[in-house]
Amino acid sequence: MGNKSNSNSFSQAFTGIWQTIQAQVHFPVLKANAKVPSIYVKNGQEKRPQVYPLLGDRYIIGRSSKNCDIVIRSPIISQTHCVIERDENNPLQFIIKDLNSTNGVYCGGKRYQSLNLFHNDLITLGPPELAEAIEIRYDKSPANWVLFARYGLLSTSVGLLLILGFMVLQWSQYQVHPIPDHTGGSTVVYAEDGKTLLSPRIESPHRELESLKEFSPYLPQALLASEDSRYYWHFGVDPLGIIRAVLVNQEGGRQGASTITQQLARSLYPAVGRENNLARKWREMVVATKLEAIYSKDTILKTYMNRVYLGINLYGFEDAAQFYFDKSARELDINESATLVAILPAPNAYNPVQDYDTAVNLRNRVIARMENLGMISNEEASQARRSRIEISPKARQTLSQVIAPYYYSYVFQEMRELLGDDLTQEGDFIIETSLNPKIQTIAEESLKNHIDSNGKSHNFSQGAIASLNSKNGEIIALVGGKDFNESQFNRATMAQRQPGSTFKVFAYSAALESGISASKTYSCAPLLWQGFQYKACERTGGATNMTQALAQSENSVALRVAKDVGLSSVVNMAKKLGVESPLNPVPGLILGQSEVNLLEITGAYTAFANQGIWSKPHAIKVIRDGRDCEDFDNHTTCREVYRFNETGDEQKQAIKKTTAETMNRMLQQVTVSGTGRTAYLGKQEAGKTGTTNKGVDLWFIGYVPKNNILTGVWLGNDDNSPTNSSSSQAALLWGNYMKKIL
């Protein structure tokens, strides 16, 4: 009995020792998220392992507390079982070595004398078949940046493979060989009758050069400098160009990113489409990359130079060189090459016949780019910049036949806003406008005759007229200056001028919208507002109501009305009625301190003439795709790309009908008994005069409700010098012109 009891006690003690694993080394505590190699030690019966960070160079594992760093009290472990130490040749690597143990070191069921350790290796001390075998798992988690780089590289590789696979699939949908023999058609612009062309067509055969080397060497240099300086670097799509365009456009600028290859893809392959959306841009990139994979860079560049649209019905630089300079593209100098390249963004608007000053400025930009890129010397660039653009008499005669040149050039400005620069540049569109050629001719003659008759005595030399259909905002006539041949600057759309008292309508309409009655009386006394002293009424004494104050254009009352309703409300009203120019919310805004252009402020009056419905001023009614027609002899069968107000945001109820009706009655008093009496026609016309300080700008904006014609007139000088007159001159011109067209 005694022997049996002693045997049981020994067995229990032995079992306790067998199941005990203890470490004799005190390992330091690591910082949170610290990444160091570690081992996790666990026997077959334990639930949680012991963790030992390997901060040192050598760790002996065994049963001996005297000789071992990590002590494991288990019968299957030798006194000194194994050692884990750094590799002398690679200090970042650890090795486990068997120290002649009885039961050995195993990995994957195989016994090793020495083994390099890798992340997540599972080592057993003793045969792995034993339930009590000691398990050691080696952990060497890589640093976060390594994991990020590893998975980032993996993700990028997978992404690139997917994109490549998708591109191959997309490529199979487009055939780019052979290159289509297509030069397209010109962009034609029709007047409102759908028959009258605003610009003549050139009847001449299309010519191409056989090789890139035949072109003047300056021509491809100018083209690459202006349109695609990384042409010989990219693969059809320019990633750097795309990034630059995104950044520029986010900052409010306008920047395209299409490469020469993309432009060619869009112009030659109908499958790319002509929509102004991302789907079309994607198809364009797919075809461009396939073109680059099949054809050489020189072949693509030569094809582009032979086919690119250069205005009217000119396709390719050989056609344009023959037309503008009466010579071959082989013979062009730096000046001529840069001139033709400079008109690419808008060839119908920027050509040197119709807008010489703009053509020169754009040419000089191209020359500067060529010089900066080292294509030409400083001396060559200087000589080219100091040269005139000598246009052939044939080109001058042809382009001088353009009907309504100011209107025609504005059509392409509007087209760029609707379709973007890329598609506008491509050409082959049919544009239906609202131009009335008869009224346009009267507008041009009326402005010129008035300036010739009255300009010298009243000291004004320029003017502009914009006539709209007040029902829908269609521009029926647009004159941007006295003589287009003398100056192509469009003063109706491009000149930012102070509008004077024509701006007061926004204060009065905002007040009416807020519930203030037109019969409310206001003091005519001087007014101090935000530190500025404004004079008392000039034509009215004591107090007056809003109707009379507007008719007499009294500043102090308009300011008091604006003060009642708030400057922000006045700004909001102007914006609601289509004024897009920046407006500074200060008292001077009410008197026309912030600059606007004639077309936008004239367009604002459509709401007063049309029961509160504002219509965006526009020249273009419809744009059609000249390449997609059921009957190419009938342009009305061509697919519509754009139609005015098809989205519903170009015409809207901007103010209440009652507000518009009250404003209409108030504006009628301006011509009956107010400052606009020289515009009186006796046809219930309504309008507003405007004169800025020293008579620098003279305005009248008015309409005849029953005829739905709204016209804005501006007179002044380009150098902002004062006139010797007032808005009565603008009102007089308005009245004489409107009598002729009504």
Side-chain angles (χ1 to χ4, degrees), residues 374-395:
M375 295 175 173
I376 56 176
S377 67
N378 178 265
E379 292 75 16
E380 290 174 315
S382 177
Q383 183 181 35
R385 278 193 297 268
R386 295 169 63 84
S387 300
R388 275 190 54 80
I389 303 175
E390 300 293 345
I391 305 301
S392 73
K394 175 182 66 176

Side-chain angles (χ1 to χ4, degrees), residues 58-62 67-68 78-85 96-102 104-105 111-113:
R58 193 169 188 269
Y59 297 88
I60 298 176
I61 301 174
N67 299 318
C68 298
S78 300
Q79 291 293 323
T80 53
H81 197 102
C82 60
V83 62
I84 294 178
E85 60 187 3
I96 187 169
K97 295 180 180 179
D98 191 347
L99 297 179
N100 298 318
S101 65
T102 303
V105 175
R111 184 167 180 170
Y112 289 90
Q113 287 298 316

Side-chain angles (χ1 to χ4, degrees), residues 134-181:
I134 306 304
E135 292 181 353
I136 299 177
R137 183 175 67 83
Y138 178 68
D139 178 79
K140 187 184 179 184
S141 299
N144 289 334
W145 70 268
V146 175
L147 286 173
F148 181 80
R150 180 184 298 170
Y151 291 116
L153 181 61
L154 179 61
S155 300
T156 302
S157 300
V158 171
L160 289 175
L161 287 174
L162 290 174
I163 292 173
L164 181 61
F166 184 67
M167 287 293 292
V168 170
L169 178 63
Q170 291 287 297
W171 276 8
S172 65
Q173 300 178 26
Y174 303 98
Q175 296 297 323
V176 299
H177 182 78
I179 294 176
D181 184 18

Side-chain angles (χ1 to χ4, degrees), residues 188-500:
V188 295
V189 182
Y190 287 99
E192 65 171 352
D193 59 8
K195 299 177 181 178
T196 304
L197 286 172
L198 272 62
S199 177
R201 297 176 65 87
I202 301 171
E203 301 300 335
S204 61
H206 173 64
R207 290 153 290 196
E208 296 188 4
L209 300 186
E210 293 297 323
S211 71
L212 186 61
K213 292 181 180 179
E214 290 189 55
F215 289 94
S216 161
Y218 302 119
L219 197 50
Q221 288 177 343
L223 178 63
L224 296 182
S226 174
E227 295 292 307
D228 196 350
S229 60
R230 287 181 292 276
Y231 175 72
Y232 282 100
W233 171 84
H234 62 64
F235 51 89
V237 177
D238 184 1
L240 294 179
I242 293 173
I243 294 172
R244 181 192 62 208
V246 169
L247 294 176
V248 170
N249 294 334
Q250 282 182 340
E251 293 177 357
R254 291 184 65 179
Q255 176 76 56
S258 290
T259 64
I260 282 175
T261 315
Q262 285 177 262
Q263 294 178 39
L264 185 66
R266 184 174 61 246
S267 63
L268 292 187
Y269 297 94
V272 171
R274 312 251 286 174
E275 304 87 356
N276 188 24
N277 55 33
L278 292 176
R280 190 266 300 170
K281 293 293 290 183
W282 170 255
R283 294 191 296 270
E284 179 183 297
M285 288 190 286
V286 170
V287 174
T289 54
K290 189 169 185 179
L291 281 171
E292 293 268 353
I294 293 178
Y295 298 103
S296 70
K297 285 283 189 180
D298 286 354
T299 298
I300 294 171
L301 185 58
K302 180 203 74 173
T303 305
Y304 179 91
M305 295 180 69
N306 277 326
R307 306 287 183 84
V308 66
Y309 179 59
L310 284 157
I312 318 173
N313 56 329
L314 301 172
Y315 277 84
F317 286 103
E318 179 66 13
D319 286 0
Q322 295 285 356
F323 176 73
Y324 282 111
F325 303 118
D326 203 19
K327 63 172 68 172
S328 171
R330 299 177 180 90
E331 304 165 6
L332 298 179
D333 59 21
I334 296 173
N335 167 33
E336 295 160 340
S337 297
T339 297
L340 293 185
V341 168
I343 71 175
L344 274 173
N348 288 296
Y350 295 161
N351 69 69
V353 175
Q354 292 179 291
D355 195 343
Y356 183 82
D357 291 340
T358 299
V360 168
N361 289 334
L362 295 176
R363 176 206 66 179
N364 290 346
R365 290 185 192 178
V366 176
I367 292 171
R369 286 282 293 164
M370 295 172 72
E371 180 185 1
N372 292 338
L373 293 172
M375 295 175 173
I376 56 176
S377 67
N378 178 265
E379 292 75 16
E380 290 174 315
S382 177
Q383 183 181 35
R385 278 193 297 268
R386 295 169 63 84
S387 300
R388 275 190 54 80
I389 303 175
E390 300 293 345
I391 305 301
S392 73
K394 175 182 66 176
R396 290 190 179 278
Q397 180 181 5
T398 301
L399 293 174
S400 65
Q401 299 172 21
V402 172
I403 297 174
Y406 283 114
Y407 193 107
Y408 181 71
S409 63
Y410 176 70
V411 165
F412 289 96
Q413 177 184 331
E414 194 172 288
M415 184 182 180
R416 287 194 298 276
E417 293 172 357
L418 294 172
L419 300 186
D421 291 337
D422 291 345
L423 289 180
T424 301
Q425 178 181 338
E426 189 177 323
D428 212 354
F429 288 98
I430 298 159
I431 302 176
E432 299 172 12
T433 73
S434 51
L435 174 73
N436 184 311
K438 181 180 178 180
I439 293 178
Q440 175 70 27
T441 300
I442 294 172
E444 292 173 354
E445 291 175 350
S446 296
L447 179 62
K448 186 177 187 303
N449 291 339
H450 190 84
I451 293 174
D452 288 342
S453 301
N454 301 284
K456 187 173 182 180
S457 60
H458 292 280
N459 196 35
F460 55 78
S461 58
Q462 277 295 351
I465 294 176
S467 288
L468 314 179
N469 183 328
S470 57
K471 283 286 186 183
N472 52 30
E474 292 177 353
I475 304 173
I476 57 179
L478 188 74
V479 187
K482 176 185 174 183
D483 189 335
F484 186 83
N485 292 324
E486 292 180 2
S487 171
Q488 294 80 40
F489 181 69
N490 194 332
R491 294 157 189 84
T493 62
M494 301 168 69
Q496 294 295 112
R497 314 289 303 204
Q498 290 185 338

